[in-house]
Amino acid sequence: MQPPFLSLTLKFHNLFRDDLLKNETFNRMYKNLVIYYFSGTGNALTAARWITKSAALKGLNASLIPVDRFKKPSFPSQEGKTLIGFLYPTHGFSLPWIMLKFMLVFPLIGKQDAFLLNTRAGMKAGRWFTPGLSGMAQLLAILVLKMKSFNIKGLLPLDMPSNWISIHPGLNEKTVELIIERCRSIVENFSEKILTGKRTYKGLLSLPIDIAIIPVAIGYSLFGRFILAKTFISSSDCGNCRLCEKRCPTGAVKIVDGRPYWSFKCESCMRCMNICPTKSIQTAHSFVVLIFIVLSFIPYSFWLSAIISKYLPGAPAVASNFLYDASRWSFKMLFIFIAYHILHFTIKNRSINNFFTYSSLTRYWRRYMAPGIKAFDFRQKE
Ligand SMILES: Cc1cc2nc3c(=O)[nH]c(=O)nc-3n(C[C@H](O)[C@H](O)[C@H](O)COP(=O)(O)O)c2cc1C
């Protein structure tokens, strides 16, 4: 039996606590959600749409903004608390350059709550769903956003169906369906937390592996992505509809001499290859092999070491090693650029074109586009 004064105090206390809790939830609640996304084949866009749907159900004003060919990042002025999301695929264990650039030039808007979601290469082996690898796809973004005073509330790597069809066939419909269903429920749980102001950092679970593969990620960002940009060709089936040029997120595809040409701005996001109505865009695998063979026969390493030791005889080992590596890779890049130029003009010849088309694995492989996503979803706004 409690003395009457104690029961009264407890009642007051509970009343006060309930009010506090209500206030806390109220303060945490967002009024707006702004999602900036980059998506090659619709996986990140699909995840963005799931989150937006959950936000709309909670009564938030939600905006979905593609970063494709952005000129100046804009932040819509809104009343009330706003949560900002950045969604993008993982490319070469890093984030696509266009997304990194977008974050770097994003205006300083003070302490804002934000979350990151990077889609990765999800696959299925028997009964098991296999994950992709983030590398520095989140770590680098965290660094940039922290520099911009963002308050990071959530990190989610999401293993959507892999779209990297230059290196493997597109997944079959059933597998895609199962992976998508799994991801949808992961995103729904994530949205439930993030939209109500809770913190969730699933992305940190693979931190040791992510840190270990950072050197590979740096190699991809400095060289890999430029090399990949020079592996695309269009076959003789190309109807010159220019859809690849119109829908390219970075404006990297140009029509040169009546056929698409991929410049170094290409992110290898796989969009052009997968939206092409005649399936005429291929990865020229035999060109890659040819380049590899020729480069392994050119004695450029010998020349470079000779030049460095002649002109910088007393340079410390670290400096000459760095110079050697930098000039070796610059030479390779220049070589690939020239060889790709030659390829572009020689495939005008039907027999040469057929050789590179029919020796390409993508000619025989299934394509990939996230279910329900069409080329129209990637139209560029004026
Ligand atoms: C060029 C390229 C590089 C990729 N690198 C990785 C990677 O390092 N790790 C990974 O898990 N997935 C990687 N992927 C797979 C994509 O990140 C994954 O399929 C993603 O869900 C695609 O999303 P999107 O459709 O929004 O572009 C890569 C795909 C491409 C095309």
Side-chain angles (χ1 to χ4, degrees):
M1 179 79 182
Q2 284 167 346
F5 75 90
L6 184 59
S7 113
L8 205 64
T9 318
L10 277 175
K11 265 189 194 147
F12 262 119
H13 179 262
N14 282 345
L15 202 71
F16 184 60
R17 201 194 57 179
D18 286 352
D19 258 8
L20 253 185
L21 279 177
K22 259 190 231 153
N23 256 341
E24 203 185 318
T25 319
F26 181 77
N27 286 337
R28 275 197 327 223
M29 285 300 278
Y30 300 106
K31 285 263 184 293
N32 319 293
L33 169 74
V34 179
I35 289 185
Y36 297 98
Y37 70 91
F38 171 70
S39 183
T41 53
N43 284 347
L45 173 58
T46 302
R49 286 183 175 168
W50 288 333
I51 300 176
T52 309
K53 196 172 161 200
S54 301
L57 287 174
K58 290 192 180 312
L60 274 76
N61 305 312
S63 343
L64 263 182
I65 307 177
V67 307
D68 289 21
R69 300 192 197 179
F70 75 92
K71 294 207 170 61
K72 208 167 155 236
S74 60
F75 180 60
S77 65
Q78 281 159 328
E79 271 184 24
K81 204 168 173 186
T82 301
L83 175 68
I84 306 178
F86 295 92
L87 277 69
Y88 50 86
T90 309
H91 281 175
F93 311 122
S94 186
L95 68 165
W97 176 238
I98 185 173
M99 198 71 206
L100 179 63
K101 225 162 57 177
F102 182 83
M103 289 178 181
L104 283 168
V105 298
F106 199 82
L108 281 166
I109 47 174
K111 259 204 159 337
Q112 285 283 342
D113 288 356
F115 69 92
L116 297 171
L117 186 155
N118 64 313
T119 57
R120 306 191 300 194
M123 299 234 189
K124 204 163 173 285
R127 294 170 50 212
W128 308 102
F129 289 99
T130 59
L133 283 170
S134 293
M136 59 180 193
Q138 291 206 332
L139 301 178
L140 195 55
I142 294 172
L143 197 75
V144 175
L145 294 185
K146 274 281 164 204
M147 270 166 26
K148 301 236 157 194
S149 306
F150 278 94
N151 183 12
I152 298 171
K153 306 280 274 189
L155 300 169
L156 181 70
L158 188 68
D159 297 309
M160 292 286 273
S162 175
N163 72 342
W164 203 351
I165 59 162
S166 283
I167 60 166
H168 64 76
L171 304 181
N172 67 50
E173 224 173 281
K174 186 76 201 150
T175 308
V176 168
E177 202 182 296
L178 291 169
I179 296 178
I180 291 275
E181 268 324 298
R182 177 175 179 267
C183 288
R184 186 201 293 269
S185 86
I186 292 172
V187 171
E188 277 168 6
N189 284 338
F190 177 76
S191 305
E192 190 51 44
K193 288 188 184 140
I194 202 86
L195 295 172
T196 50
K198 293 186 190 122
R199 291 171 186 271
T200 162
Y201 299 115
K202 250 191 157 178
L204 295 179
L205 290 176
S206 55
L207 196 61
I209 304 173
D210 291 336
I211 292 175
I213 52 178
I214 283 180
V216 188
I218 294 174
Y220 179 88
S221 303
L222 294 180
F223 305 107
R225 68 187 203 91
F226 295 113
I227 295 170
L228 287 181
K230 297 295 180 192
T231 58
F232 298 109
I233 55 161
S234 71
S235 74
S236 311
D237 297 333
C238 171
N240 211 4
C241 67
R242 305 181 85 129
L243 197 64
C244 49
E245 183 196 31
K246 289 179 208 153
R247 299 285 191 268
C248 174
T250 57
V253 183
K254 303 268 175 269
I255 305 297
V256 179
D257 232 17
R259 61 179 62 249
Y261 174 94
W262 282 262
S263 72
F264 277 132
K265 261 173 39 183
C266 171
E267 295 270 3
S268 303
C269 70
M270 300 287 141
R271 185 184 294 175
C272 53
M273 194 183 264
N274 289 292
I275 59 170
C276 177
T278 54
K279 293 194 169 61
S280 66
I281 298 174
Q282 314 293 348
T283 298
H285 289 106
S286 47
F287 174 68
V288 178
V289 174
L290 219 65
I291 290 285
F292 184 76
I293 294 173
V294 174
L295 277 175
S296 62
F297 276 106
I298 297 179
Y300 60 91
S301 318
F302 172 75
W303 300 334
L304 292 177
S305 329
I307 293 169
I308 291 170
S309 52
K310 180 166 181 212
Y311 291 102
L312 292 163
V318 183
S320 50
N321 281 349
F322 173 77
L323 257 176
Y324 173 75
D325 281 337
S327 36
R328 188 165 59 112
W329 279 102
S330 308
F331 176 85
K332 281 187 184 181
M333 298 307 295
L334 182 70
F335 182 85
I336 290 167
F337 175 76
I338 295 169
Y340 184 73
H341 234 70
I342 297 169
L343 175 76
H344 181 80
F345 289 104
T346 48
I347 55 171
K348 261 195 273 178
N349 175 295
R350 212 182 168 87
S351 310
I352 299 180
N353 192 309
N354 283 347
F355 169 76
F356 285 107
T357 301
Y358 289 99
S359 57
S360 159
L361 294 169
T362 50
R363 170 78 180 73
Y364 313 98
W365 282 350
R366 203 181 288 115
R367 309 263 150 156
Y368 177 76
M369 185 57 76
I373 301 291
K374 302 266 175 304
F376 180 75
D377 294 295
F378 300 120
R379 67 197 179 282
Q380 304 295 329
K381 304 208 172 52
E382 288 308 314

